[in-house]
Amino acid sequence: MAEEKVLLRMEGISKSFPGVKALDNVQLTLRSGTVHALMGENGAGKSTLMKCLFGIYQKDSGHIYLEGNEVNFTNSRAALDSGVAMVHQELNQALKRNVMDNIWLGRYPKIKGTPIINEKQMYADTMKVFNELGIKVNPKAVMSTMPVSQRQMVEIAKAVSFNSKVIVFDEPTSSLTEAEVEHLFRIIEMLKQRGVGIIYISHKMAEIKRISDDITIMRDGQYVTTRPTAELSMNDIIRLMVGRELTNVYPPKDNIVLDENILEVEGLTAEYSKLSDVSFKLKKGEILGVAGLDGSGRTELLENIFGVATRRSGTIRLHGKVVRNKTPKESIKNGFSMVTEERRATGILSILNIRDNTVISSLKRYKRGILLSDRKQSEATDKMIKAMRTKTPTQKTKIQNLSGGNQQKVILGRWLLTEPEVLLLDEPTRGIDVGAKYEIYQLIQDLAKEGKSVIMVSSEMPELLGVCNRILVMSGGKLAGEVDADTTTQEEILTLAAKYA
């Protein structure tokens, strides 16, 4: 790397939290006009390193140089003002405000000589950024009314609006459709042409191989290597990340699907979404996938089964008996559990520790008279930490201090403790590294082998094909068809997904 092309250099970065050394003497060098992939398993320290750069965390030691000048940002605003922006994996937006408010928050254009916000100017500035990036979103739309994928594109536009020299993308495609991913890649290529340096965190190997120029790999908070992307195969990357060979992406499908309908859904229609007249059956020991484009009704299907969303009509039968499932509490009592797509918004209880997050849905099991047994709660949590291979110093660690993938493992453990008969999974491996994904796939297989039944929504078709026995395809809120996962193709699924879109 020629010195004159170096835009950012991080040297000897270390950072500790109570009970854990998150970063130990880590380095990273970013050249202008390139995409630098930052890779590693969940808990490797990738996001922590970027938060040290962005001023969210203060490093314990080391040096950061931006265009040759040493910097030490004490907060994210200082980083943004200096030309460093970050698009976070977990969106943190003002959901009750509109799009342009979110983009210009803290730097509103004012009517000259007054403290009054110039709404007309703000709208024009927003449209200028959107037109430049080819983003088709209404600047006056309220954030809470938009799908996660559009909110993600707004966050990307916000980062670009700062005219940043360095932009960090942390799992930017985890909630984007294939078309939106292609759009993002076009934006990144445009930014490269301007000389912007991109740091790109992703667990999706194909993306990394396609768009990155250099790769830095971390493992257990330590720097492993930096290489040009062209020199590394996918197997090389996995081996360096996990420290071992990973021969199979998916475990063998050795669950036995019994000819017994455990769940029957008839005419399911939602009150406040376009989900309409969906009927299907789920067999005992079956892993049933749900495919479809963004907005097809995949998530809404799970939410209506679990009682998160209001059902207008339709019948749900478990073992032939009608269950109402009007609320999540009632659904849990009936033997259903659900892992939601947005873990930070609807999954984790961020201010509580791992133990509290693990046992929260099954507290009745740990009662000793009118009190809760500390010992039973600790034993149950320990069991789940070991089963999920969750990386954490102790079960008393706050869940917000874990990596995204380890948070997801805690949530999965929480629902497994309820011993569900039907487990509903909405994007269960979103933002999770390849090693941890395999562990979760194996866990799903083990549950199916125990006679449990699983419904799994995923936007990654290879995942559905590799894990599931059968796949339902949603389109425009309707069930467009169902296919056998072992004999179908991605083309057949996409054709069905476009049926009512």
Side-chain angles (χ1 to χ4, degrees), residues 286-480:
E286 183 178 28
I287 303 170
L288 179 64
V290 184
L293 303 174
D294 193 46
S296 63
R298 298 172 306 180
T299 294
E300 289 81 1
L301 176 62
L302 297 196
E303 288 178 343
N304 274 269
I305 292 172
F306 193 61
V308 175
T310 304
R311 190 163 68 247
R312 179 186 299 167
S313 59
T315 306
I316 299 172
R317 288 186 177 87
L318 185 69
H319 299 301
K321 181 183 175 183
V322 173
V323 291
R324 295 193 320 150
N325 284 13
K326 291 286 186 182
T327 65
K329 185 177 180 180
E330 184 181 355
S331 299
I332 294 167
K333 188 177 178 182
N334 289 332
F336 292 77
S337 292
M338 180 174 173
V339 177
T340 59
E341 177 184 7
E342 291 190 74
R343 60 174 166 260
R344 186 165 294 278
T346 56
I348 67 169
L349 302 165
S350 60
I351 62 171
L352 299 182
N353 62 33
I354 290 167
R355 191 182 83 170
D356 292 339
N357 270 275
T358 301
V359 302
I360 191 73
S361 295
S362 52
L363 287 174
K364 284 185 179 179
R365 296 172 185 267
Y366 316 113
K367 275 192 172 181
R368 191 176 57 189
I370 60 170
L371 301 175
L372 291 171
S373 167
D374 272 350
R375 180 180 59 81
K376 287 182 179 179
Q377 290 181 76
S378 294
E379 286 174 355
T381 304
D382 224 28
K383 178 184 173 183
M384 285 300 108
I385 287 173
K386 287 174 182 172
M388 303 302 299
R389 298 183 188 176
T390 307
K391 291 180 182 176
T392 175
T394 73
Q395 56 179 252
K396 292 296 183 72
T397 301
K398 281 191 176 182
I399 194 169
Q400 64 187 9
N401 291 335
L402 298 189
S403 67
N406 282 301
Q407 290 176 0
Q408 188 78 323
K409 289 181 180 182
V410 173
I411 296 168
L412 277 165
R414 172 200 300 167
W415 291 115
L416 293 182
L417 283 177
T418 68
E419 298 180 357
E421 289 195 70
V422 178
L423 183 61
L424 309 173
L425 304 174
D426 195 355
E427 302 285 4
T429 65
R430 178 183 167 195
I432 291 180
D433 66 77
V434 64
K437 276 185 177 182
Y438 187 92
E439 292 167 5
I440 289 174
Y441 298 149
Q442 186 63 66
L443 181 72
I444 293 169
Q445 277 292 330
D446 292 344
L447 286 167
K449 283 189 279 187
E450 290 172 13
K452 309 293 185 186
S453 301
V454 180
I455 303 178
M456 172 176 154
V457 167
S458 177
S459 53
E460 296 184 37
M461 275 191 281
E463 180 171 85
L464 292 173
L465 295 170
V467 176
C468 302
N469 305 113
R470 188 164 50 102
I471 301 170
L472 304 178
V473 186
M474 298 293 295
S475 178
K478 300 176 183 177
L479 181 60

Side-chain angles (χ1 to χ4, degrees), residues 68 93 119 126 128 190 197 221 234 243 275 313 319-320 355 361 373 386 408 462 491 495 498:
Q93 297 167 317
E119 295 274 347
T126 304
K128 182 181 177 183
M190 182 185 72
M234 288 192 187
L275 187 74
S313 59
H319 299 301
R355 191 182 83 170
S361 295
S373 167
K386 287 174 182 172
Q408 188 78 323
E491 289 74 20
T495 301

Side-chain angles (χ1 to χ4, degrees), residues 22 26 40 49 71 89 109 155 178 218 253 308 440 445 447 488:
V26 178
L49 181 66
V71 294
Q89 178 184 354
E155 202 67 13
E178 287 187 25
M218 296 176 64
K253 291 185 194 178
V308 175
I440 289 174
Q445 277 292 330
L447 286 167
T488 190

